[in-house]
């Protein structure tokens, strides 16, 4: 059998994971990434729920553990720095995670580990600084139909399968949906921004979050710590603040720094130090900012023919806590569904790809979108802005910490009961 020829667009978390699974069934894979080198940046991410057995299946648990961030837990403090609630990290090994999971890792380290799985595989090529300009595909009934891809450098090539793993702002999705299609990104009216500051002696090794009253928008500031010399600052805001919209639109680092700095400088707690650093410290040049958004494609909308979306491009929920987990799981399910059909007699190459993509969505969609749509509840519960609302949150959090509700009431219990399929075609070699 001729190998399946696959183009994967996007070398984040989902793309390299899919390259790994498809390489195991002998596919000929090209993985392209827009940036000129591996984009191993970003802050702390984690693996939880089905992401844990997934990582074990991929044989990277030891590597992930070795690179993991030893966060002691998560705490809420008030504007004077007094601890209001503390949720210890989960170290039970049961797979049940608290806010701090057992597998906290810097995004860059995870991306490097995932690339490492296919770097030396002869059937996987990694190309950097490459993008796709356009594609067309043959009729779905054509058993040997291809996707005809034109790259930005003018080259053209044909593939059996093209996968868009190019993130929430996916250009592949835009091209797949075609001109005039509505943008499936649903904005929740909040932003998250992160940057690094030089460490100070009192910085906690717990994830620490502080709600700031005193403005007509909700503001949260937090810190997390993965190394001694730096502290990572998180800012989450919700509400109308036009300067931030404008800065995000422009994408200019200086404008983003100014907008966040102006919004947070009078917030109390460590805000003055953080915003000073944001303005003047070179460490803060890593500022990364994104709106909270959900990609809500209609049923059956994750693929069109031989072009399929995976990861944030298909089902993003910004900072929902499952971005990396669902990237790993989604890649496994997509590869597994295609592999299953490929192994079946009488199924054409086209059918395996097209039907496999549909099966992947059908099986995985309930999991991937389990957390979608909870925007309003989330915002009211976790982003109060009045002193009274913040006080209430602290009281509830303190009670929740006492009863360990973080372990019991999380989405994990709900989604964990949804079973993942096993794909014997992908295992063993
Ligand atoms: C730089 C960066 C920092 C991040 N930081 C955090 C963080 O701190 N915390 C957190 O929870 N989540 C973060 N995320 C998001 C998180 O990685 C994803 O939610 C999750 O891992 C899903 O992964 P993904 O592979 O679907 O998408 P992503 O991880 O977003 O990867 C998409 C990849 O596709 C590439 N790409 C985009 N467009 C094109 C194109 N047209 N052609 C080719 N390649 C393209 C991007 O450069 C990127 O490498 C970050 C994402 C990025 C890109
Ligand atoms: C894999 O595809 C590349 C082009 O994308 C081609 O040059 C190479 O010969 C192919 N390898 C096999 C084993 O088919």
């Amino acid at each position: 059998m001729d190998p399946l020829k696959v183009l994967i667009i996007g070398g984040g978390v989902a793309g390299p994971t899919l390259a790994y699974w498809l390489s195991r069934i002998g596919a000929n894979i090209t993985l392209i990434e827009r940036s000129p080198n591996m984009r191993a940046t970003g802050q702390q991410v984690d693996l939880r729920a089905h992401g844990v057995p997934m990582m074990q299946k991929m044989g990277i648990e030891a590597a992930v553990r070795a690179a993991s961030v030893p966060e002691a837990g998560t705490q809420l403090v008030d504007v004077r720095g007094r601890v209001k609630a503390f949720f210890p990290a989960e170290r039970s090994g049961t797979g049940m995670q608290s806010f701090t999971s057992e597998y906290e890792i810097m995004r860059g380290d995870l991306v490097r580990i995932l690339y490492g799985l296919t770097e030396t595989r002869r059937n996987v090529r990694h190309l950097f600084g490459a993008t796709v300009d356009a594609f067309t595909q043959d009729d779905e009934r054509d058993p040997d139909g291809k996707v005809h891809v034109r790259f930005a450098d003018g080259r053209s090539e044909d593939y059996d399968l093209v996968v868009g793993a190019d993130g929430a702002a996916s250009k592949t999705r835009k091209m797949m949906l075609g001109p005039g299609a509505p943008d499936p990104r649903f904005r929740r009216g909040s932003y998250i921004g992160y940057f690094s500051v030089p460490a100070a002696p009192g910085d906690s090794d717990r994830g620490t979050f502080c709600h700031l009253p005193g403005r007509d928008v909700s503001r949260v500031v937090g810190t997390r710590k993965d190394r001694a010399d730096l502290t990572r600052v998180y800012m989450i805001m919700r509400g109308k603040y036009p300067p931030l919209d404008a800065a995000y639109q422009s994408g200019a680092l200086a404008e983003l720094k100014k907008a966040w700095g102006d919004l947070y400088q009078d917030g109390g707690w460590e805000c003055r130090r953080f915003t000073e650093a944001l303005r003047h410290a070179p460490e803060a040049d890593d500022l990364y900012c994104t709106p909270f958004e959900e990609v809500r494609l209609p049923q059956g909308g994750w693929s069109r023919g031989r072009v399929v979306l995976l990861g944030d491009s298909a089902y993003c929920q910004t900072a929902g806590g499952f971005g990396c987990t669902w990237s790993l799981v989604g890649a496994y399910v997509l590869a597994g569904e295609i592999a299953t059909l490929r192994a079946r007699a009488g199924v054409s190459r086209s059918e395996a790809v097209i039907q496999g993509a549909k099966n992947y969505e059908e099986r995985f969609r309930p999991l991937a979108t389990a957390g979608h749509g909870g925007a309003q509840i989330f915002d009211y519960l976790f982003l109060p802005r009045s002193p009274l609302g913040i006080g209430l949150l602290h009281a509830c959090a303190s009670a929740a910490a006492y009863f360990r509700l973080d372990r019991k009431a999380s989405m994990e219990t709900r989604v964990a009961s949804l079973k993942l399929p096993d794909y014997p075609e992908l295992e063993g070699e």
Side-chain angles (χ1 to χ4, degrees), residues 2-3 5-6 28-30 122-123 125 155 157-159:
D2 243 15
K5 209 166 139 190
V6 182
N28 180 359
I29 298 149
T30 304
R122 284 211 315 281
N123 56 340
R125 289 196 305 161
R155 275 184 319 115
E157 203 152 335
D158 293 346
Y159 296 91

Side-chain angles (χ1 to χ4, degrees), residues 156-186:
S156 291
E157 203 152 335
D158 293 346
Y159 296 91
D160 297 306
L161 166 66
V162 171
V163 180
D166 46 353
S170 173
K171 187 179 166 196
T172 311
R173 183 182 64 222
K174 202 165 187 227
M175 293 189 289
M176 184 190 92
L177 295 175
D183 188 336
R185 280 176 293 175
F186 174 81

Side-chain angles (χ1 to χ4, degrees), residues 38 111-122 124-126 128:
M38 196 192 300
V111 170
R112 267 188 286 272
I113 290 169
L114 295 172
Y115 264 93
L117 289 171
T118 56
E119 241 154 20
T120 57
R121 295 222 169 207
R122 284 211 315 281
V124 184
R125 289 196 305 161
H126 298 268
F128 293 95

Side-chain angles (χ1 to χ4, degrees), residues 211-390:
H211 289 72
L212 312 174
R215 281 189 88 127
D216 55 359
V217 299
S218 302
R219 295 175 297 171
V220 178
V221 65
T223 60
R224 300 184 94 173
K225 209 150 174 55
D226 59 286
R227 48 189 265 187
D229 57 331
L230 293 177
T231 294
R232 319 288 188 171
V233 178
Y234 290 64
M235 300 167 298
I236 299 168
M237 70 77 67
R238 175 174 186 270
K240 275 226 125 357
Y241 187 60
L244 190 53
D245 295 325
Y248 182 72
Q249 278 299 317
S250 84
L253 185 61
E255 275 188 52
L256 282 167
K257 284 183 168 186
K258 182 166 176 1
W260 283 110
D262 289 349
L263 185 60
Y264 275 75
Q265 62 187 356
D266 65 350
W269 193 45
E270 298 268 339
C271 283
R272 202 158 286 283
R273 172 185 150 216
F274 296 155
T275 53
E276 274 298 301
L278 182 59
R279 291 205 169 89
H280 304 297
E283 286 85 350
D285 283 348
D286 63 356
L287 174 68
Y288 177 79
C289 163
T290 172
F292 280 77
E293 51 193 13
E294 279 178 17
V295 171
R296 295 180 182 170
L297 286 160
Q299 205 83 37
W302 287 9
S303 66
R304 198 161 284 181
R306 305 167 187 85
V307 179
V308 192
L309 305 175
L310 172 69
D312 277 3
S313 67
Y315 41 78
C316 172
Q317 184 187 22
T318 308
F322 286 83
C324 291
T325 289
W326 294 155
S327 287
L328 259 52
V329 176
Y332 176 70
V333 175
L334 176 57
E337 291 297 336
I338 291 173
T340 304
L341 290 176
R342 281 284 279 164
R344 200 170 289 168
V347 175
S348 76
R349 169 184 295 259
S350 257
E351 267 177 283
V353 165
I354 295 170
Q355 192 56 45
K358 290 183 177 150
N359 295 352
Y360 140 76
E361 175 174 349
E362 197 178 306
R363 296 209 131 175
F364 181 47
R365 190 182 177 101
L367 266 179
T369 61
H372 279 205
Q376 296 306 320
I377 294 165
F378 171 89
D379 290 341
Y380 287 118
L381 277 181
F382 296 113
L383 295 175
R385 58 186 160 82
S386 69
L388 180 68
I390 292 170

